[in-house]
Amino acid sequence: MYRYDEFDQAFVAERVTQFRDQVARRLAGELNEEQFKPLRLQNGVYLQLHAYMLRVAIPYGTLSAHQMRKLAHIARTYDKGYGHFTTRQNIQFNWPRLDDVPAILEELAEVEMHAIQTSGNCIRNVTADHFAGVAADEAADPRPYAEILRQWSSLHPEFLFLPRKFKIAVTGAAHDRAAIQFHDIGYEVKRNEAGELGFAVYIGGGQGRTPMVAKKIRDFLPEEDLLAYSEAILRVYNLHGRRDNKYKARIKILVFETGADVLKEEIEAEFTKIRASALRLPADEIRRIEAYFAPPAYAIALPGEAALAAARQADPGFDRWVASNVTGHRAAGHSIVTISLKPIGAPPGDATADQMDAVADIAARYSHDEIRVSHEQNLVLPHVATADLRSVFDALVTAGLATANAGLITDIIACPGLDYCALATARSIPVAQRISERFAETARQADIGDVKIKISGCINACGHHHAGHIGILGLEKKGEEVYQITLGGSGDETASIGDIVGRGFASDDIVDAVETIVDTYLERREGADESFLAAYRRLGATPFKKALYGAA
Amino acid sequence: MANETARLWKDGGFRPNPWQDWPEDGALEPLDPGTDALVPLERFVADPDVFLARKGRLGVRVAAGEDVAVLAEHLENIALIALEFPSFADGRNYSAARLLRERLGYDGEIRAVGDVLSDQIALMRRCGIDAFLVTHGPTRAALQGGRIPEVRHYYQPVSGPEIEIPAGSRPWARQPAA
Ligand code: SF4
C-alpha cells in the first residue's frame, strides 16, 4: 500500500487547517452558502435532504485494517454508527455535524486519509480495479498510476473550477472491472508490441441524463506521458467545456458536439507542447511508487485445495459462499474474497461500525492487513490463503457479513434515492430491498447466475442503471413513483448502454416485472453457460417486451 | 480594516489603481491620451494600432473563454492583462494565466478581476496571477491581515510568480523556496 511521506502528511495537515478556517468563516457569516459551497464540496461535504454528508476518499478503493478501524471510529463517534460504501469506492457518512467535520478530517489525516475532491466540479477520487494486483488477468497493477494521478490532481490550481465533475478510472486488465468506458477519462494499462508499459486512453464516457460510452483516442500512450496527457485533456476541457448548462457540461458533451477526432487533435496538439516538461514521469520514480504496491510475502505452496473441497462438501452454505464470493488469485494457494454488503432486504453498501471493525480484524489476521472497496459497493479481502477460507467464512458469519451473493442477482447497486437525496424523484433502496427479498433463495440465485441490477432514483443515474444488465430508473409521474426498465447495459470491456424496454411500472409492479424478465431469460437461454447479458444480446428485446407487455 | 477605495492587491499591499476602463464606443468623454487604458480584448484585436499608438500604457481585459493566444505578437507592448472571473466557479482563466506565463512568456502584470475570494487567491497565484482587484470585504480584510489560508505543499509543477522548488524525488512535487 502507498504510505504518506512527510510531504504528503504536511499536505493533508495544511488542508485540514485551511478547511477549519473556512468552516469558521462560514459559521461567522463571512462566507455565504453560495461562496462556501465549492469549498465544502472540494472537501467532501455535501448537503443532503436531511443533513450534511461527508464523503471520504478511499483512493482506488484500497485501505488498511488500521484505516478501516478509523472509519468505524468515525461512524461511532460522529455519525449514527454506520457508513455507506459508494459506487466510486468511497465511504459516506450521512449524519455528521458541519462543525465536527474539521475534527473528522483531522482524525482521517492521522491515518493518511482525506476527503479532498470527493465532490464538486473538480477531478474526483481516482478509481481502479478492485482486484488490482491480485487478479490473474492483469498486465500491471493500475494503482501506482492511480496514486500518481491522485497526487497530481490534488488541489491542482488550474483545475479546481471545471465546468463539471471529472472522473478518472484505471484498469490493469483487459477484463474491465473498473467500468473505465463510463468515465471522463479511462486508462487501460497495457503493454505494446515491444513489451513497454503504457495506456489505451478513453475519454467522454459517462452516465447521467445523456449516457455515453467513452471513445478511444489513443491506443498506446507511453507510461512516462501519463500526467502530461492528463493535463492536456483537462486543459482543453477546462477551456472549452460548456458552462452554460450544467447538464451539458461534462466532457462527454464536448466530445459529442466537437467530434472525437477533432477533440483528439486539440488534445494531441496541447500534449505536444507540454510533453517535455516536469510532468514527464521518470521510470525510476514510477518504479519507486510501484514498490509500495508490491504483493505481500505469501506463504508458499500452502495446501488447502483438498481440505477446501471436503469442507465445501460438508457444508452447503459454505459451498455456496465459496462459489459466489471467492475468486481465483494470481498467487498459488490464495484466493480473493468478496464480502457482500448486500444482505437480503438491507440497504446496499451499508456497514455498521462493528462490522467495519470485524472486517479490519479479519483483514489483519487473514488478508495481510489489506481491504478493498469495489465499485459494486462490496468489500474485498485480496490476499486470503485458501486454507483459511473456512475460518474467514466463520468470522464473517459472526459479523453478519457472509451473504453468498457476490455477482448474483441480489448483489444490487442502488443510489440513495428519495430516502436521502434531495434530487430524487423516486425511492431506490426500498426497491432494491424488495427485489432482493423476492430472489432470496440461494439455489435460485445460483441458477440465474450473473445478473447485475442497478437502480437510480432519478435521471442523474448515480445508481448506474444505464450500465445494468437490468437497469431501473425511478421517476415521478403525477405524484406516483414509476420505474422504467432498461435491458442489456454493461460496464465491462464490452460497455453498452441499456435499451429502454417500454413504459414504466408502478412501485407495486416493478418486482414482478423484474421476475418476468428473469423467467424469460431462464426459458430462452441456451444453457446455464449463457449469461443473462449474452442471452439478451443474442435475443434482443422482443421476447422480453412480449413477456412484459403482451403481444404488440 | 482595509481601505474601502483601495481594492488592488499587489506586491503584498493595497495599491492605487491608475488604470481606467476603455469607454464604450460613442462615449461622450473619450479617455485622455496619456491615461493608462484597459481595453477589452475584442476591441483591441479589431484595431491594435489605435491602442498601440496612444501615449498611456496599454492593458487588455480578457473575458472568460477568450483565447489569449491572439495577444501573442503584442505582448511586449501590453503592460497589464486583466483576467475576468465572472464567478469564482468559472475556472477558464486559470488556464489562460498559465498559458500567458508558461507558453507565451508574458512577464507583465496579470490581474484577476471579478469574483475574487481569499480561497482562490493562492491558486490564482500559482497559475501566474500577481495582482488582484478585490471587491469582497472579508477577503480584503484577510489579505490585509495576512490571513490567507494556504496549502504550501504542491503536487503540480507550475511556474507562477513565486519560486517553487522540487520537493524530494517526485518531479511533480513542489514547495515554496522560502
Ligand atoms: S440518481 Fe438521483 S436520486 Fe439517486 S443519488 Fe443520484 S441524484 Fe440522487
Side-chain angles (χ1 to χ4, degrees), chain A residues 26 31-39, chain B residues 87-88 115 117:
Chain A
R26 172 70 189 111
L31 291 173
N32 62 32
E33 176 53 26
E34 195 203 348
Q35 292 162 333
F36 181 58
K37 185 175 168 190
L39 306 176
Chain B
S87 134
F88 57 80
D115 204 2
L117 299 174

Side-chain angles (χ1 to χ4, degrees), chain A residues 2 5 7-8 11 14 18 21-22 25 34 38-39 151-152 154 158 161 231 238 243 270 285 288, chain B residues 88-89 91-92 94-95 98 103 118-120 136 149 151-156 167 169-172:
Chain A
Y2 186 71
D5 62 13
F7 183 95
D8 302 315
F11 173 86
E14 285 172 349
Q18 186 186 40
D21 172 70
Q22 289 164 346
R25 281 186 286 140
E34 195 203 348
L39 306 176
Q151 295 186 15
W152 161 82
S154 293
E158 186 179 346
F161 300 93
E231 187 143 311
N238 188 41
R243 291 175 187 262
E270 183 61 36
E285 195 53 27
R288 187 183 71 81
Chain B
F88 57 80
R92 285 177 283 190
Y94 289 91
S95 289
R98 287 194 70 194
R103 181 144 325 146
S118 55
D119 303 282
Q120 277 91 51
H136 185 240
V151 175
R152 307 272 286 168
H153 291 73
Y154 314 118
Y155 288 112
Q156 309 79 22
S169 64
R170 284 173 277 190
W172 60 88

